[in-house]
Amino acid sequence: MTQEIAILSAKPETAAEIPPVRKVFVKTYGCQMNVYDSDRMTDALAKDGYVSTDVMEDADLVLLNTCHIREKAAEKVYSALGRLRDLKKKKAGEGREMMIGVAGCVAQAEGDEILRRAPAVDLVIGPQTYHRLPDALKRVRRGERVLETDYAIEDKFEHLPSPDKAKTRARGVTAFLTVQEGCDKFCTFCVVPYTRGSEVSRPVAQIMAEASKLVEAGVREITLLGQNVNAWHGVGADGAEWGLGELLHRLAEIDGLARLRYTTSHPRDMDATLIEAHRDLPQLMPYLHLPIQSGSDRILKAMNRRHTTAEYIALVERIKAARPDIAMSGDFIVGFPGETDEDFEDTMRLVETIGYAQAFSFKYSTRPGTPGADLDGQVPEDVKAKRLERLQDLLLSQQRAFAEACIGREIDLLLEKPGRMSGQLIGRSPWLQSVNVDAKASQIGDIIKVRITGAGPNSLFAETIS
Ligand code: 5AD
Ligand code: SF4
């Protein structure tokens, strides 16, 4: 995803003060946290005289914000770097310099290897050191190839600029806010504990200040982000230890903040206060991404998920009791080492039992350095492919059934952005679906009542209720 265009508004008084205008092109791969991080990096670079461009060829700096979660994600980065090398050469021939930076989880995991494999890369910077980006670029300009992948001891959020008002406005009425980063769970398939480091929660005051700034800039819906967001904890204004439930209560008090969401959650960290928040807070949207990964207890154990399918089902029942209209979402991995046909059938049965409004499913991909990589019983690719196809068919049919069941319902719609057709806007339903409706651009940011009239493959259609 290409980042929004940022225009610097401060005008220097004299020619001597005019900083060189430099352009940055940021390409973001992977999860929502990378989207959030790309925005923070863009904001930090703006202080350094950089404006964003969505034309790669115009950029003085191209930053790839990378994802390492699955094999394909990392490979995409290396092929993009190949193309960038050619562009850099071409621009050098025209007398224009272009810097190439790699950020994100591939940078963290394979920093040295990137510098070795891709000589055109000038800078590698890991997610814990984004606040050092302007300084790292200065070093690049002095001729260094920079590798910044230490886990910084200082708090990067203290040093990164908080969201800029004008840019937030340009980015829209929904926003992400990272409240927690890293993971201590060590699921045996996952690189996150190694790329994002151990679990760190941002302090309450920092989160509240950032949320208020977003709302002042016109944001109506905030999604709290964390690799393990419901493991968030902090000391509240009352001096007591808070979990995510308490934090959501406090955020819901911000005037003008209409909607709250959070992602991604681990089943083991869904505590009672958080479940009750779903019952008590109308601002908390009835949609929950709660991955289980597999429906087989044997595989869950091998994955080190530290819960059973029965516990997961019971948990979902408690959540549904608290918020009956909640839509469930999840992640699944097929073909984890040792997964038999019977284990896979257990996953299919689990999906039938829960009924997902949306879900993401992946073939297991070996990640170097994770315990899963050394397990016996790696599943052949063709078996993984067949299982994935069956699982995705089932999940898609559930998603369609959920969308069809919405037809005729009257819902609150947050009008988000222009639609494909003029005179139309796209809004977001409480269950995170895109909904097309006739409305004026001036209504963006409003929450209106609509009736769902139809369901397409990727979005719904609605009419306004006067
Ligand atoms: N192989 C396949 N899928 C993976 N995920 C994480 N690691 C792997 C892996 N090694 C999936 C999980 C996780 C989601 C973000 O990506 O389902 O929840
Ligand atoms: Fe990865 Fe498991 Fe942590 Fe999620 S909980 S980030 S899957 S190690």
Side-chain angles (χ1 to χ4, degrees):
M1 184 188 295
T2 308
Q3 297 307 300
E4 299 289 341
I5 298 171
I7 311 288
L8 280 183
S9 54
K11 288 206 180 76
E13 298 289 306
T14 64
E17 287 174 52
I18 295 176
V21 173
R22 306 189 188 105
K23 291 184 182 169
V24 57
F25 175 92
V26 184
K27 176 147 176 84
T28 308
Y29 300 83
C31 66
Q32 293 106 323
M33 194 174 286
N34 268 8
V35 175
Y36 176 86
D37 286 345
S38 289
D39 286 348
R40 290 290 74 70
M41 283 192 274
T42 311
D43 293 349
L45 288 171
K47 297 220 152 156
D48 226 25
Y50 276 93
V51 297
S52 293
T53 174
D54 48 10
V55 183
M56 193 195 273
E57 287 70 20
D58 286 351
D60 304 288
L61 166 65
V62 174
L63 257 186
L64 304 184
N65 192 5
T66 62
C67 170
H68 201 236
I69 198 89
R70 285 170 294 275
E71 212 170 312
K72 269 197 194 143
E75 280 315 311
K76 269 194 215 156
V77 173
Y78 283 109
S79 53
L81 284 176
R83 291 192 298 275
L84 280 174
R85 176 198 54 207
D86 298 343
L87 179 61
K88 183 172 178 160
K89 219 191 238 163
K90 181 172 162 255
K91 289 187 74 162
E94 296 161 1
R96 289 156 65 206
E97 263 192 69
M98 189 182 96
M99 287 190 276
I100 300 176
V102 182
C105 294
V106 182
Q108 187 65 41
E110 297 187 7
D112 293 316
E113 171 141 9
I114 293 170
L115 288 179
R116 209 170 34 78
R117 253 175 91 172
V121 170
D122 301 290
L123 161 74
V124 171
I125 189 158
Q128 314 313 323
T129 45
Y130 289 156
H131 54 295
R132 296 186 191 158
L133 181 60
D135 189 55
L137 288 173
K138 273 187 205 129
R139 286 162 57 199
V140 172
R141 268 181 238 118
R142 289 200 297 262
E144 260 184 78
R145 288 183 89 204
V146 177
L147 177 70
E148 273 278 12
T149 50
D150 290 345
Y151 290 115
I153 34 163
E154 66 274 17
D155 174 0
K156 71 169 169 186
F157 293 111
E158 289 263 347
H159 295 81
L160 279 170
S162 59
D164 175 277
K165 199 166 181 174
K167 277 189 234 119
T168 300
R169 195 154 279 160
R171 284 172 189 145
V173 295
T174 60
F176 295 127
L177 198 176
T178 292
V179 299
Q180 179 280 335
E181 199 171 345
C183 182
D184 293 339
K185 295 276 191 297
F186 290 93
C187 300
T188 52
F189 52 81
C190 186
V191 284
V192 166
Y194 313 97
T195 56
R196 290 275 172 173
S198 53
E199 223 168 81
V200 178
S201 293
R202 286 179 74 183
V204 175
Q206 235 184 48
I207 297 168
M208 293 303 298
E210 189 164 324
S212 298
K213 266 196 116 172
L214 291 170
V215 174
E216 274 167 35
V219 167
R220 307 296 320 276
E221 175 179 306
I222 292 180
T223 302
L224 307 181
L225 296 181
Q227 270 88 29
N228 227 299
V229 71
N230 55 345
W232 179 90
H233 59 95
V235 179
D238 53 2
E241 183 70 17
W242 282 3
L244 192 66
E246 282 95 350
L247 181 67
L248 285 163
H249 269 277
R250 193 46 57 93
L251 286 164
E253 288 169 9
I254 297 177
D255 247 2
L257 179 53
R259 291 178 164 195
L260 284 162
R261 303 176 187 275
Y262 60 92
T263 196
T264 287
S265 301
H266 193 290
R268 278 180 67 92
D269 293 321
M270 287 301 302
D271 65 22
T273 319
L274 183 53
I275 296 174
E276 284 156 17
H278 280 280
R279 180 193 64 200
D280 299 335
L281 293 178
Q283 292 91 338
L284 188 53
M285 289 294 100
Y287 180 93
L288 180 61
H289 185 63
L290 192 66
I292 180 168
Q293 315 294 354
S294 165
S296 152
D297 285 343
R298 228 172 51 79
I299 297 298
L300 287 177
K301 191 150 198 271
M303 286 176 164
N304 192 33
R305 294 291 292 180
R306 297 188 296 133
H307 64 79
T308 61
T309 45
E311 282 163 345
Y312 180 85
I313 292 166
L315 175 62
V316 172
E317 275 165 11
R318 276 174 65 206
I319 297 164
K320 283 187 172 166
R323 185 78 208 231
D325 64 340
I326 202 152
M328 296 302 300
S329 157
D331 290 339
F332 293 90
I333 296 176
V334 299
F336 185 79
E339 187 187 73
T340 61
D341 285 342
E342 192 43 46
D343 292 319
F344 175 67
E345 295 308 327
D346 285 344
T347 298
M348 295 291 280
R349 269 191 288 275
L350 184 272
V351 171
E352 296 275 13
T353 305
I354 299 292
Y356 288 91
Q358 199 186 12
F360 306 90
S361 48
F362 314 97
K363 285 191 273 187
Y364 171 69
S365 114
T366 309
R367 304 319 289 133
T370 61
D374 300 325
L375 292 176
D376 291 335
Q378 301 284 333
V379 177
E381 274 307 307
D382 58 328
V383 176
K384 285 186 203 171
K386 276 191 200 123
R387 289 180 188 165
L388 187 68
E389 198 183 330
R390 274 189 60 207
L391 177 59
Q392 290 192 333
D393 281 350
L394 176 60
L395 291 169
L396 193 63
S397 69
Q398 291 192 342
Q399 188 181 329
R400 291 220 175 104
F402 182 78
E404 297 280 334
C406 290
I407 296 173
R409 279 198 213 172
E410 292 182 5
I411 66 160
D412 287 335
L413 189 65
L414 170 58
L415 297 174
E416 213 186 344
K417 56 189 173 196
R420 255 194 244 134
M421 303 220 279
S422 84
Q424 277 203 337
L425 294 181
I426 296 177
R428 208 178 259 206
S429 83
W431 306 286
L432 212 54
Q433 299 140 304
S434 291
V435 182
N436 303 283
V437 68
D438 288 343
K440 294 192 289 282
S442 60
Q443 289 176 279
I444 288 177
D446 290 354
I447 294 176
I448 61 167
K449 282 248 180 274
V450 300
R451 183 179 299 107
I452 305 295
T453 53
N458 298 311
S459 59
L460 302 175
F461 302 92
E463 61 190 14
T464 46
I465 301 168
S466 53

